[in-house]
Amino acid sequence: MKMFNKEINLLYFIIPIGFLFRALFIMFGAKLYYGTETFWMGGDTPGWVDSIINLIEHGTYTIDFKSDIGYFFRPPGYSFYIGIFYLLSGKNLALMYQFIIWSQVLLDTLAIYLLYKTVCFAFSNTKIALITAILYAIYPFVIVWNAVVYAESTSVFFLLLSLYFFFHPSIKYKYVLSGIFISIAVLIRVQLIFMFPILGLIILFIYWGNTKNTISNLLQFGLMTVIVYGSWPIRNYINYNKWVFSEEWEGYHHWSMDYIRFYEYIFSVQTGEEPQNYQIIHGEKVTFPKDCYVVKGDSTKLENVVKLCRTCGEGFSYFMRSAGVREDVVGKDDNCNEEIERTFVALRENQKKYNSLNYYLWVPLSNLKKAIFKYTLAKPSESIVGKLASLLFLFRTLLLLLGFMGLIILLKYRLGGYLCVISFLYFCSWYFFDCFDYRSMEIRYFLQADILMLIPAAFVLYLLLTRFSFMKKYLA
């Protein structure tokens, strides 16, 4: 009992430290890290904010009443979260943003406790749970997203809240609660949709051989996902006669089809859209990689389509205006999007057909390498911030490698229960999908999977620390 009390006291020390890290970052670090005084505003922020304001003020959830895409631009989870603070602030946007980022700090601090308890439930080992809590309390890539009105840290909170109830040993209707909160998490960040089949599969295995309990618990979990998450696609079909299960931003302003098809094409030959994206937008000579020229005649097509992108590409014109290159944008009736789209689609098909090894294997593996071993910001810098960011990325990579090691041990010896299986399945499924299919290599997209990997990483650290004699009395 005395040792247990010491561990609880240590947890109550870890949680305030986690809060302090997050608060200090918002007060002093965020403007340096993001390079702006209004660090809470990102390029994606208006997508959530405008949609909920239109619902509150005009009765319709859409980013733009003039666009058919606007009704489905963002799932409503994070927008509804924003809406709470829009109303609480008296519709004062400046105050609303401050409410949101500080609320994210509070939720993310609470997440330290949720993760600790979940690991306790799974491992029955408070030492491993404490190490996991410490890692999460200081984990930089969740801390930095507390400061921005983006869905990242909030989605992590609801993911951990769902897992807390999923593994709770005694709470009644735990799968009902878990289903509700994982559905909310998916409506905040769609990539968590992979958790639906994973958690359903785990319920099946937990109660394997007990048909009554299996059916009952699967129904509880499944019914909540249908009611909570299902309200989004059902709304889309009933109101607009269109099944949209995630989001639909292709074709709206910056993301018009000319830019989307360029995006898909360049991802078929390399990891990332730079430097070609910057070069097209800023009127510079575009340097495509040699893989773009595997088919005779593609060089001419690329030269011609770049000219079209700069002159009559609708999406490109929005990016050019955002970059200060032009003052106007290309209108719906004046664009050459279809010609640009046809060209990039044909070029991409050539990559699939005539450069298939690069398309199907080398580029995805390069994506995977970047996803795990990324060590610089999108815009590398020799400043102190740039160097610090590189160290933080190296810290992330180290934790991922420790996580891999831990998963191998845990799965081999069947330790940690189903929590490690969930971590493994979600990490593999999402990383594979993003690197091989979606191919957008923004590290924030991997945040939820990376946080689940902190659990096996903590297990490895526990094993390592117990080998030091001065730590044995604390960890034995």
Side-chain angles (χ1 to χ4, degrees):
M1 179 62 71
K2 186 179 291 186
M3 182 61 70
F4 177 76
N5 289 335
K6 285 183 179 179
E7 288 156 6
I8 292 297
N9 290 338
L10 183 57
L11 177 66
Y12 291 152
F13 175 75
I14 294 169
I15 291 174
I17 289 296
F19 173 79
L20 185 62
F21 269 69
R22 287 152 176 77
L24 289 175
F25 180 77
I26 285 183
M27 291 188 291
F28 304 108
K31 62 183 178 182
L32 295 174
Y33 183 82
Y34 290 107
T36 175
E37 294 284 342
T38 55
F39 52 82
W40 51 83
M41 283 286 293
D44 291 350
T45 303
W48 291 294
V49 173
D50 293 350
S51 296
I52 194 63
I53 289 177
N54 282 333
L55 176 62
I56 293 171
E57 302 296 345
H58 307 291
T60 302
Y61 184 79
T62 179
I63 190 175
D64 185 351
F65 288 96
K66 297 178 182 178
S67 171
D68 293 336
I69 306 294
Y71 303 111
F72 325 107
F73 190 74
R74 292 289 185 195
Y78 192 56
S79 288
F80 275 62
Y81 180 78
I82 290 171
I84 295 170
F85 298 100
Y86 178 68
L87 295 174
L88 286 176
S89 65
K91 302 182 180 180
N92 181 320
L93 290 181
L95 186 58
M96 177 195 78
Y97 287 126
Q98 295 305 307
F99 279 173
I100 291 170
I101 61 176
W102 283 104
S103 72
Q104 290 178 169
V105 165
L106 293 174
L107 287 183
D108 200 41
T109 303
L110 178 57
I112 300 171
Y113 175 79
L114 293 174
L115 186 56
Y116 167 82
K117 291 298 293 183
T118 303
V119 175
C120 283
F121 297 150
F123 283 85
S124 299
N125 186 319
T126 55
K127 316 296 193 308
I128 297 172
L130 281 173
I131 296 172
T132 309
I134 292 170
L135 291 178
Y136 188 83
I138 65 171
Y139 191 63
F141 294 97
V142 71
I143 292 174
V144 298
W145 289 113
N146 288 173
V148 187
V149 181
Y150 269 26
E152 268 61 40
S153 69
T154 310
S155 70
V156 169
F157 171 79
F158 282 101
L159 166 65
L160 295 179
L161 186 59
S162 173
L163 292 177
Y164 168 82
F165 286 114
F166 191 91
F167 286 99
H168 200 291
S170 59
I171 196 168
K172 195 175 183 181
Y173 301 120
K174 63 180 187 177
Y175 296 120
V176 170
L177 295 169
S178 180
I180 290 171
F181 292 119
I182 195 60
S183 297
I184 293 172
V186 172
L187 290 174
I188 292 172
R189 263 299 178 209
V190 178
Q191 60 258 43
L192 284 167
I193 201 168
F194 285 86
M195 291 299 290
F196 285 153
I198 290 172
L199 294 180
L201 187 66
I202 296 302
I203 293 173
L204 185 65
F205 276 101
I206 289 173
Y207 298 97
W208 187 263
N210 188 327
T211 305
K212 181 179 178 181
N213 282 344
T214 301
I215 294 174
S216 172
N217 291 319
L218 278 175
L219 281 176
Q220 290 178 45
F221 180 80
L223 185 61
M224 290 304 102
T225 63
V226 170
I227 292 174
V228 180
Y229 162 74
S231 63
W232 171 241
I234 291 170
R235 167 262 191 189
N236 296 334
Y237 182 75
I238 291 176
N239 289 353
Y240 307 105
N241 198 32
K242 189 173 185 178
W243 287 110
V244 177
F245 290 87
S246 55
E247 57 192 15
E248 192 168 289
W249 40 265
E250 298 182 0
Y252 181 76
H253 288 181
H254 292 73
W255 297 98
S256 293
M257 299 315 295
D258 59 316
Y259 189 79
I260 289 291
R261 296 302 174 236
F262 157 75
Y263 212 65
E264 292 174 346
Y265 167 68
I266 203 64
F267 284 173
S268 74
V269 292
Q270 67 180 36
T271 297
E273 72 277 15
E274 301 298 350
Q276 295 79 19
N277 178 62
Y278 182 92
Q279 291 166 341
I280 294 174
I281 290 172
H282 289 84
E284 299 178 359
K285 177 179 173 57
V286 184
T287 54
F288 287 101
K290 60 182 175 57
D291 285 295
C292 292
Y293 305 115
V294 293
V295 176
K296 186 178 180 180
D298 278 4
S299 59
T300 302
K301 291 180 181 178
L302 283 169
E303 185 178 344
N304 291 335
V305 79
V306 165
K307 292 178 181 176
L308 293 175
C309 290
R310 288 169 171 164
T311 55
C312 53
E314 182 183 356
F316 275 99
S317 73
Y318 277 93
F319 278 103
M320 292 169 75
R321 185 176 68 174
S322 297
V325 175
R326 61 185 294 167
E327 295 181 356
D328 62 338
V329 293
V330 175
K332 292 286 184 186
D333 299 326
D334 304 317
N335 66 62
C336 56
N337 288 356
E338 290 186 6
E339 186 175 355
I340 294 172
E341 182 177 0
R342 281 196 302 270
T343 304
F344 278 129
V345 167
L347 290 167
R348 186 167 181 252
E349 289 302 312
N350 283 347
Q351 289 295 316
K352 290 181 179 180
K353 187 174 182 180
Y354 300 107
N355 198 20
S356 56
L357 192 62
N358 186 65
Y359 178 85
Y360 289 108
L361 185 61
W362 300 130
V363 172
L365 289 178
S366 179
N367 291 339
L368 186 60
K369 177 183 176 182
K370 181 179 180 180
I372 296 173
F373 296 101
K374 179 182 172 69
Y375 61 91
T376 60
L377 295 169
K379 297 179 181 179
S381 171
E382 292 299 319
S383 67
I384 294 176
V385 172
K387 292 177 180 178
L388 178 60
S390 295
L391 289 175
L392 295 179
F393 279 119
L394 288 174
F395 177 63
R396 171 182 175 270
T397 297
L398 175 62
L399 289 176
L400 286 177
L401 294 178
L402 288 175
F404 294 144
M405 188 186 307
L407 279 176
I408 292 170
I409 299 170
L410 289 164
L411 294 174
K412 180 179 180 180
Y413 294 102
R414 298 183 181 181
L415 301 172
Y418 289 107
L419 180 58
C420 292
V421 178
I422 290 170
S423 301
F424 172 76
L425 291 177
Y426 183 72
F427 182 91
C428 291
S429 58
W430 174 246
Y431 264 68
F432 182 86
F433 176 79
D434 197 278
C435 294
F436 282 77
D437 185 77
Y438 187 55
R439 303 193 179 200
S440 183
M441 290 294 103
E442 289 195 50
I443 295 301
R444 65 189 173 101
Y445 295 160
F446 301 106
L447 180 62
Q448 298 84 1
D450 291 355
I451 282 168
L452 292 178
M453 290 295 281
L454 295 180
I455 300 166
F459 173 72
V460 174
L461 289 174
Y462 169 76
L463 294 180
L464 293 173
L465 289 171
T466 54
R467 292 186 175 273
F468 293 98
S469 58
F470 70 93
M471 291 297 296
K472 284 184 179 180
K473 63 180 178 180
Y474 300 107
L475 297 172

